[in-house]
Amino acid sequence: MRRKLIAGNWKMNGSFASNEALLSELRAGLSAGAACDVLVCAPSPYLMQCANLLSGSDIGWGAQDVSVHLSGAYTGEVSAPMLSDCSCTYAIVGHSERRAYHGETDELVAQKTLRLLASGLKPIVCVGETLEQRELGQTNSVVSAQLRAVLDVIDVDALTNLVVAYEPVWAIGTGKTATPQMAQDVHAVLRQQLALKNPPVAEKVQILYGGSMKPENAQELLAMPDIDGGLIGGAALKAADFLAIIQAA
Ligand code: PEP
């Protein structure tokens, strides 16, 4: 039985004041502990605020992206060792918004994954198809190519530290959710692909679903055999909703 992971992706939202209110509500709501792993992925300027407010709690914190470079003249970039310095445990890579608005390729996402692993961070690798690709019947080939680029460059042993998030692009921030069966079908394809690399470890890799997950649909999505948690955008900004999703896991 895989432990579930509920991860919030705050995207470019928050302020010191609103984060403090949100995190204190989450801490209070989880004071008796959580039955799943819980994570918030905050904008970089707020990572140390998360460290200060969440240390000693059951809630981890992570980043939303990482530089492919280690250090040097890369203005505006944040490196994996810097995220480690902020005591992050995870970072998202390959989110569809990075792929769409910043031209990130499968190969770049794979290199970023390597950077995170080398710094002892767990990458949450996002894959997902657009509506057009789904309608053309390309879902499985698109997500498989995105995952393959990562699996091609990482060591077999590194699979233990990998998290995959299936996020259909057409479901992100739109209110449209994949049905539990649609999501399960893709998760099963992804797990089979992981198994080609390392069958026993593939069974342990957490594969998250992301795309308008909310309290109303979390339970049925999380009940599917290969859905091991959620990557939550909008609903992660409201303590009551995020706590309800954690409860459903
Ligand atoms: C996301 O951005 O990863 C996401 C799943 O967003 P939302 O939950 O708002 O669809």
Side-chain angles (χ1 to χ4, degrees):
M1 184 71 179
R2 288 175 293 273
R3 190 170 161 87
K4 291 203 173 6
L5 167 64
I6 300 297
N9 172 15
W10 289 0
K11 310 195 188 197
M12 199 172 71
N13 292 296
S15 65
F16 281 128
S18 66
N19 301 342
E20 190 169 344
L22 175 59
L23 294 176
S24 79
E25 278 189 70
L26 293 181
R27 274 198 80 150
L30 296 174
S31 56
C36 62
D37 296 331
V38 180
L39 175 74
V40 292
C41 293
S44 297
Y46 300 132
L47 290 173
M48 283 312 296
Q49 183 189 23
C50 290
N52 292 332
L53 296 178
L54 296 176
S55 292
S57 78
D58 282 345
I59 308 169
W61 56 97
Q64 299 171 13
D65 185 33
V66 67
S67 175
V68 72
H69 304 290
L70 202 51
S71 65
Y74 300 103
T75 303
E77 296 275 276
V78 176
S79 72
M82 291 172 185
L83 299 181
S84 288
D85 271 351
C86 296
S87 305
C88 290
T89 41
Y90 294 81
I92 298 168
V93 283
H95 191 280
S96 61
E97 289 153 14
R98 302 285 323 165
R99 294 178 189 262
Y101 308 144
H102 301 274
E104 295 200 2
T105 61
D106 295 348
E107 290 66 34
L108 182 78
V109 173
Q111 292 304 314
K112 289 184 170 195
T113 303
L114 282 179
R115 283 288 184 219
L116 291 172
L117 290 167
S119 286
L121 288 143
K122 294 186 180 186
I124 302 177
V125 178
C126 298
V127 300
E129 82 287 4
T130 62
L131 185 58
E132 189 187 6
Q133 289 165 334
R134 174 161 282 271
E135 286 171 351
L136 288 170
Q138 297 171 344
T139 300
N140 292 350
S141 61
V142 167
V143 299
S144 295
Q146 290 170 334
L147 183 58
R148 190 176 318 115
V150 170
L151 296 182
D152 279 351
V153 299
I154 66 170
D155 280 349
V156 176
D157 297 345
L159 210 56
T160 332
N161 291 316
L162 197 73
V163 176
V164 179
Y166 168 54
E167 298 210 307
V169 178
W170 48 270
I172 296 179
T174 59
K176 291 184 192 149
T177 322
T179 65
Q181 194 57 54
M182 278 160 85
Q184 166 59 30
D185 290 347
V186 180
H187 282 229
V189 167
L190 295 170
R191 190 158 331 267
Q192 275 165 17
Q193 199 180 353
L194 292 166
L196 295 175
K197 183 101 180 165
N198 184 332
V201 177
E203 280 307 309
K204 297 185 183 142
V205 175
Q206 290 165 318
I207 307 180
L208 315 183
Y209 169 78
S212 299
M213 193 186 268
K214 43 189 184 263
E216 298 76 42
N217 59 24
Q219 198 158 17
E220 50 175 5
L221 284 160
L222 293 167
M224 302 309 281
D226 286 295
I227 301 187
D228 309 314
L231 184 54
I232 324 291
L237 298 171
K238 295 180 206 133
D241 285 0
F242 197 53
L243 287 168
I245 295 171
I246 293 164
Q247 192 67 37

